[in-house]
Amino acid sequence: MGKLLSEGFRRVFIGKRFYVCLIILICLAFLDVVIYRVANKFVDYELLHADTLIFSGLGLDVLFTAITGGMLISKDYSNNTIRNKIIIGHSRTNIYLCNWIVTAAIALVYHVAYLFVICALGIPVLGGGEFPSGEMMVNLLITVPLLLAFSSLIEFVCMSIKNVGGAIVAIAMHYVVSFMSLPLLLIQQKNEKLYEFLQEFVPSMQMEVIQQSYNEIPEHAALMVIYSIIIAVAATVGGILIFNRTDLK
């Protein structure tokens, strides 16, 4: 398994896609700070501080993870890399788990990179606001299992579809909830308990909860973490079961 991980990370770090996405992410974080700085010049009250940007990059983290990790898995299929790994004796379970570890690591690197820019540049320029309050630090911890859940779903989709289409679906996956705003609004009006459950369970909606109330700990924060872990485990186990039955000929 160590050799699989070593090879997986080697392919990530020698490829251009990882660095291109990382550079774009850093530039977008820099741009966020600049926009806030310019906006503050025209506002005499409620100045925008860096604390409001801390969780703004979560959607970008997921997007670029899907682009980098998803395309890496898709190329493994198209180049018969996965088939060759099996031929030389690696188990399918180890191959799947190693791909998940690499994908999750990519997500965390992108997350840390965005936070680093906001903290290193945004706090001196904009002021930290309420960061680092205890509530915001708890929310930062909640984002870790949330990103792991997203990584598991990206891995599941890409390993199941087995071509570039899997990467495309993974890239669009997070934004599906945005296109369901009307049905979700109806659910909120008709069944508030169901809507609250969806907010706590669906990763994209969890993300919105954290972003909208960045300086407050969600009411059911522990449940959100548990749901993220359940999604990560279920997607991984389900993906392994499907992959073990997949015909790669």
Side-chain angles (χ1 to χ4, degrees):
M1 192 167 180
K3 291 182 178 179
L4 285 172
L5 279 174
S6 177
E7 175 63 16
F9 283 115
R10 185 190 71 82
R11 292 181 62 232
V12 170
F13 295 132
I14 66 171
K16 296 179 181 179
R17 188 176 294 108
F18 171 79
Y19 297 104
V20 170
C21 289
L22 181 60
I23 291 170
I24 294 173
L25 182 69
I26 290 173
C27 289
L28 289 173
F30 176 81
L31 183 61
D32 283 340
V33 174
V34 171
I35 291 173
Y36 270 41
R37 176 62 176 172
V38 172
N40 282 342
K41 291 184 177 181
F42 300 95
V43 177
D44 296 326
Y45 58 93
E46 294 185 5
L47 295 178
L48 299 170
H49 298 293
D51 57 351
T52 59
L53 289 172
I54 292 295
F55 301 101
S56 298
L58 284 172
L60 295 174
D61 298 336
V62 174
L63 172 64
F64 291 128
T65 299
I67 293 173
T68 303
M71 289 302 298
L72 189 71
I73 294 170
S74 298
K75 288 186 67 176
D76 273 356
Y77 276 112
S78 62
N79 296 337
N80 287 323
T81 303
I82 290 180
R83 184 170 178 270
N84 293 337
K85 288 177 181 178
I86 295 172
I87 291 175
I88 64 176
H90 294 294
S91 73
R92 294 192 180 212
T93 299
N94 283 348
I95 292 172
Y96 192 100
L97 289 175
C98 286
N99 281 341
W100 176 78
I101 292 172
V102 170
T103 303
I106 292 170
L108 294 176
V109 167
Y110 286 156
H111 186 47
V112 170
Y114 185 90
L115 289 175
F116 177 80
V117 175
I118 297 303
C119 291
L121 179 64
I123 292 178
V125 172
L126 302 172
E130 297 184 26
F131 184 81
S133 65
E135 290 80 4
M136 294 188 73
M137 296 307 294
V138 170
N139 284 339
L140 279 174
L141 291 176
I142 295 174
T143 63
V144 175
L146 177 60
L147 289 173
L148 295 182
F150 269 115
S151 300
S152 298
L153 292 172
I154 292 169
E155 170 87 354
F156 177 84
V157 170
C158 293
M159 291 292 285
S160 299
I161 297 180
K162 299 180 295 185
N163 54 43
V164 177
I168 295 173
V169 172
I171 291 168
M173 180 175 57
H174 167 57
Y175 299 94
V176 171
V177 174
S178 300
F179 294 105
M180 297 180 64
S181 57
L182 180 58
L184 289 172
L185 179 60
L186 293 174
I187 291 174
Q188 184 179 15
Q189 293 174 347
K190 299 293 184 179
N191 193 328
E192 189 173 347
K193 289 186 177 180
L194 175 59
Y195 183 78
E196 288 178 358
F197 167 75
L198 292 174
Q199 280 189 313
E200 295 162 1
F201 182 80
V202 178
S204 295
M205 296 184 72
Q206 276 195 35
M207 187 182 297
E208 290 180 1
V209 170
I210 294 173
Q211 290 173 331
Q212 291 171 4
S213 303
Y214 63 91
N215 57 351
E216 299 176 2
I217 299 174
E219 184 179 357
H220 300 122
L223 269 179
M224 291 169 64
V225 172
I226 292 171
Y227 287 146
S228 292
I229 294 172
I230 289 174
I231 290 171
V233 172
T236 301
V237 172
I240 289 173
L241 292 175
I242 292 173
F243 182 52
N244 281 331
R245 296 184 178 183
T246 299
D247 185 3
L248 298 177
K249 294 182 180 179

